[in-house]
Amino acid sequence: MTNDTAAAATALPLAPGDWALDPLHSAVNFTIRHLGIAKVRGRFASVRAELYVGETAADVRVSASVDLASIDTGNPDRDAHVRASDLLDVEKRPTMTYRSTRVYGEGEDWTMEGELTIGDVTRPVSLAVEFGGLVDVPMNGARHAGFEATGEIRRTDFGLDFAPGLLGDVVKIQLDMQFVEPKAD
């Protein structure tokens, strides 16, 4: 059995079912180079995500949708420009979506392969996923699972080629996500 096959067949520490996103404790962050000398950091404030956990990693499915107009770089003028037609063009491309196609790994370190769609362009994107663990929240007794996923995309792969040299091509992604365990029947 290969390592990928063994990991796919390994039982998961998460209860099977549909886990709900905890949006108050989740974030979609990014970093891009400006002028090749500095980094601009930002986030998207509006995200929806679904996590389905099956019996093994082979049964795990993740999907997410990000409202591109919810971009926040800490500068309202810059955000307005990024939303405009020469960059994200949120009128034509209101959302960015991700759908997993494969999850594998073990322990705290996992890989999620999937497809990212921005506008009418879909490309494969692989994310390194760190499982942060499980905890029962004292206020309501709900069990939360934490994950950090990191990866990068090239904006030109998605037709976002405004201002080469002014903006870097590589966009680094960091997702900090919490999901709430499904209630037992």
Side-chain angles (χ1 to χ4, degrees):
M1 189 180 293
T2 68
N3 285 343
D4 286 349
T5 304
T10 301
L12 299 172
L14 304 173
D18 292 308
W19 287 65
L21 179 69
D22 177 352
L24 297 177
H25 299 100
S26 298
V28 175
N29 303 298
F30 65 89
T31 305
I32 188 168
R33 288 264 178 199
H34 181 255
L35 300 175
I37 59 171
K39 294 179 182 177
V40 172
R41 299 175 193 281
R43 68 182 202 92
F44 291 96
S46 178
V47 60
R48 292 167 300 286
E50 298 172 0
L51 167 63
Y52 172 78
V53 176
E55 296 298 322
T56 68
D59 303 318
V60 171
R61 291 187 308 273
V62 176
S63 62
S65 178
V66 174
D67 176 4
L68 293 177
S70 72
I71 191 167
D72 179 4
T73 65
N75 181 314
D77 290 337
R78 176 173 46 217
D79 296 344
H81 183 225
V82 172
R83 290 183 194 104
S85 61
D86 58 347
L87 265 165
L88 286 179
D89 194 359
V90 298
E91 292 294 321
K92 290 184 181 174
R93 295 184 278 247
T95 59
M96 166 173 57
T97 60
Y98 184 83
R99 182 183 63 82
S100 68
T101 56
R102 182 173 176 228
V103 176
Y104 58 94
E106 59 186 316
E108 294 178 0
D109 298 315
W110 293 78
T111 299
M112 181 168 49
E113 295 175 355
E115 296 176 334
L116 179 68
T117 301
I118 302 174
D120 60 355
V121 179
T122 300
R123 297 278 187 258
V125 172
S126 181
L127 300 171
V129 179
E130 179 183 330
F131 175 52
L134 292 165
V135 66
D136 293 327
V137 177
M139 284 77 73
N140 62 13
R143 177 165 279 190
H144 286 228
F147 303 89
E148 178 183 359
T150 56
E152 59 183 45
I153 63 170
R154 293 191 175 280
R155 62 188 184 96
T156 53
D157 287 348
F158 294 90
L160 304 172
D161 53 7
F162 173 80
L166 179 63
L167 293 175
D169 190 27
V170 174
V171 180
K172 294 185 179 186
I173 302 163
Q174 180 182 351
L175 310 169
D176 294 302
M177 310 298 278
Q178 279 190 41
F179 288 90
V180 180
E181 184 175 68
K183 296 207 186 300
D185 293 330

